[in-house]
Amino acid sequence: MNLRTKFLPLFLIPLALTAQDRYMTRTGHVEFHSSTPLEDIDAENDKVTSVWDAASGALEFSMLIKAFAFEKALMQEHFNEDYMESTTFPKATFKGKLSGIGADELAKAGTYIVSVEGTITLHGVEKSVKTEGTVTVDAHGAIQATSTFPIRPEDHGIRIPGLVRTKIAEAIEVKVRMDYRKM
Amino acid sequence: MIVGGVLVTAAATTYGVREYNRVPETAAERTEVASLTAIELLEEFLANEQAATTKYVGSKAQAVLVTGAIRAVDEVNGRVVTVVLETGNPDAGVSCEFALADFPADWRTGATVRLKGICQGYTGVGMIPGDVVLQRCVAME
């Protein structure tokens, strides 16, 4: 056995560890809720992709704006065409870091409070965000991450005409739920 | 004159109520712009995401017909079923969402199927591997 063959596995160990620490979902859930005395607006997206590297804390989300489903077609059309301009800005993304949980916690069942900090890109406009969430590890090792936080449309350059301003909340409540699987 | 005004008002109200309560249509009600395999669809998005988005997502109501082998079936939230079609790329698939009521009960992993769906784009970005997403899918014979 030459030196290269002998030591190659040692170089591969960090790569293997990195892969083992990565979790992913392709069916993450993001919903938003706008409540005003005139109208409630809800929409859900079950096609959110997310990768979480538990070793570094790096966390990313990507979702297609057109994948948000509304109960009413008219609301969905206004959302895509008039507000989100989803043909021009087809995706919303988050890139940041999740902290407050490590390999020890992931190895045992429990619910852990975590903090998430990063940048949301929505409607082509980046905005820093810092919020709290929970990561739940069940007895079988399944991992679910959840968080709820507000987004203000104006912060992302989303213009709402005065005529409908009273029908859309100034701060939209966003709920995130990710059931991660090991990559 | 008054009767005419009442009729116009009634017609406008009926149209308004119907329009307000209209539900999003399934792919069955849309015209298909292409018929291709899941492998071909993913390849086009990987080669040029912007061009594929313009072609398959478009800016008007349209749908695509896709043929492929089922890699995985996943029920989400008891409301929708996601079928991932095989693409030969383990990090990327064609993800097809059905309303629970529209999902054929006899579809199993490995079976080759044909479906019609509304293409919403490609999710991949950064370290995230992507899927081409089809929604409000219906099975085709």
Side-chain angles (χ1 to χ4, degrees):
Chain A
M1 186 183 280
N2 65 25
L3 275 178
R4 187 181 291 178
T5 313
K6 196 171 178 182
F7 288 108
L8 189 59
L10 294 177
F11 291 111
L12 290 177
I13 285 172
L15 290 175
L17 287 176
T18 303
Q20 281 174 3
D21 290 335
R22 280 195 173 187
Y23 297 85
M24 183 183 177
T25 179
R26 286 188 159 99
T27 54
H29 175 90
V30 170
E31 64 180 72
F32 67 78
H33 177 69
S34 161
S35 180
T36 68
L38 290 176
E39 194 160 48
D40 284 344
I41 302 168
D42 299 284
E44 300 181 338
N45 185 336
D46 289 306
K47 287 269 157 291
V48 181
T49 304
S50 174
V51 174
W52 171 39
D53 186 329
S56 67
L59 178 68
E60 287 191 26
F61 290 88
S62 174
M63 71 193 86
L64 293 163
I65 297 300
K66 284 190 176 175
F68 274 98
F70 289 69
E71 194 182 335
K72 295 187 167 96
L74 202 58
M75 281 183 182
Q76 191 160 311
E77 288 160 12
H78 285 311
F79 172 76
N80 281 297
E81 293 163 17
D82 302 335
Y83 306 133
M84 300 302 289
E85 301 175 274
S86 56
T87 299
T88 309
F89 308 108
K91 288 177 193 170
T93 60
F94 170 85
K95 193 170 183 178
K97 208 160 184 174
L98 186 153
S99 51
I101 188 165
D104 291 346
E105 288 82 7
L106 286 174
K108 59 187 179 204
T111 297
Y112 307 98
I113 305 293
V114 295
S115 65
V116 179
E117 191 169 1
T119 303
I120 289 179
T121 305
L122 179 67
H123 194 244
V125 177
E126 292 185 356
K127 172 88 180 162
S128 295
V129 63
K130 189 175 181 180
T131 188
E132 283 198 340
T134 60
V135 173
T136 302
V137 183
D138 77 8
H140 305 289
I143 296 171
Q144 185 179 77
T146 61
S147 184
T148 302
F149 56 92
I151 282 185
R152 293 170 53 84
E154 278 78 6
D155 288 345
H156 292 276
I158 300 164
R159 281 180 293 177
I160 297 169
L163 199 64
V164 292
R165 179 63 272 186
T166 51
K167 290 184 176 180
I168 299 171
E170 292 202 358
I172 312 281
E173 183 187 68
V174 179
K175 289 184 178 175
V176 177
R177 188 180 64 245
M178 301 288 139
D179 291 303
Y180 286 109
R181 293 175 186 170
K182 240 174 191 173
M183 281 181 85
Chain B
M1 180 100 172
I2 294 170
V3 173
V6 169
L7 286 175
V8 168
T9 305
T13 304
T14 304
Y15 173 79
V17 169
R18 190 179 294 166
E19 186 64 3
Y20 180 77
N21 289 317
R22 181 167 52 92
V23 296
E25 81 276 32
T26 68
E29 296 156 69
R30 291 192 172 193
T31 306
E32 60 264 25
V33 292
S35 176
L36 69 178
T37 67
I39 294 167
E40 290 166 341
L41 183 61
L42 177 67
E43 275 175 359
E44 286 207 40
F45 273 93
L46 293 180
N48 187 335
E49 185 183 346
Q50 198 172 351
T53 300
T54 302
K55 185 174 174 183
Y56 296 112
V57 180
S59 55
K60 290 186 234 161
Q62 60 183 43
V64 291
L65 282 170
V66 180
T67 306
I70 298 177
R71 180 195 291 172
V73 177
D74 196 7
E75 190 176 318
V76 183
N77 296 334
R79 292 182 301 102
V80 294
V81 176
T82 292
V83 173
V84 181
L85 297 180
E86 189 54 71
T87 58
N89 181 341
D91 292 330
V94 173
S95 176
C96 314
E97 187 179 275
F98 288 77
L100 202 52
D102 292 333
F103 179 70
D106 58 343
W107 279 19
R108 298 281 183 273
T109 304
T112 296
V113 296
R114 190 160 183 253
L115 57 88
K116 188 175 177 183
I118 298 170
C119 186
Q120 308 288 30
Y122 173 73
T123 56
V125 66
M127 72 174 181
I128 298 179
D131 283 334
V132 178
V133 172
L134 305 182
Q135 284 185 310
R136 288 176 268 152
C137 298
V138 290
M140 304 297 285
E141 290 303 320

